[in-house]
Amino acid sequence: MADEKKKRKEVPDSLTIELKNAITLGGGGDDSVYTEIVLQEPNLEQLSTFIKKANKDGALDAMKYLISSVSGVPLPVLSKIGVRDFYKAQDYLTEFISPPDEDDPEGNVAGSQ
């Protein structure tokens, strides 16, 4: 009988999201313009803080924190991005948040036994 478990998809090392609309932060001569968000794999401290924030502040605020922490984009900028851009970032980071198959903590197709 063929093993029908799904192989965990390969997640790229980084993802650059070109924002649909540029976001300007600041005022006067100190304007910063954001046209993209560059994401990468979160570290364990970022993941731990995300989980704590999700329990305390809710999933949306926790994901905004994680995107900001991983990308270096300030939270006030993330609050202004479009929903589609947010969902692209969320989809990418969720791949690191979701644990592998419970029967296989290493994500191997054949299982860990």
Side-chain angles (χ1 to χ4, degrees):
M1 182 176 206
D3 188 354
E4 294 184 21
K5 282 191 177 187
K6 252 196 221 182
K7 186 174 182 180
R8 192 169 174 108
K9 82 176 184 181
E10 187 71 24
V11 181
D13 291 336
S14 66
L15 175 69
T16 300
I17 299 168
E18 300 291 332
L19 298 177
K20 298 281 183 205
N21 297 303
I23 308 291
T24 302
L25 184 66
D30 282 356
D31 288 356
S32 295
V33 179
Y34 294 85
T35 59
E36 66 182 20
I37 298 172
V38 180
L39 300 171
Q40 61 188 13
E41 179 177 355
N43 63 39
L44 287 178
E45 181 64 30
Q46 291 165 325
L47 180 60
S48 176
T49 303
F50 165 80
I51 292 168
K52 290 174 187 170
K53 284 188 166 294
N55 289 327
K56 181 182 173 201
D57 301 328
L60 184 65
D61 284 342
M63 184 55 70
K64 283 192 329 190
Y65 155 79
L66 187 59
I67 294 168
S68 176
S69 178
V70 167
S71 69
V73 174
L75 283 170
V77 172
L78 291 177
S79 294
K80 296 179 180 183
I81 68 170
V83 173
R84 286 181 285 187
D85 292 331
F86 175 81
Y87 285 147
K88 286 178 189 175
Q90 177 179 274
D91 288 347
Y92 174 76
L93 291 173
T94 299
E95 291 295 326
F96 297 106
I97 296 167
S98 302
D101 187 325
E102 289 182 22
D103 181 44
D104 181 18
E106 296 174 356
N108 299 310
V109 175
S112 56
Q113 275 97 35

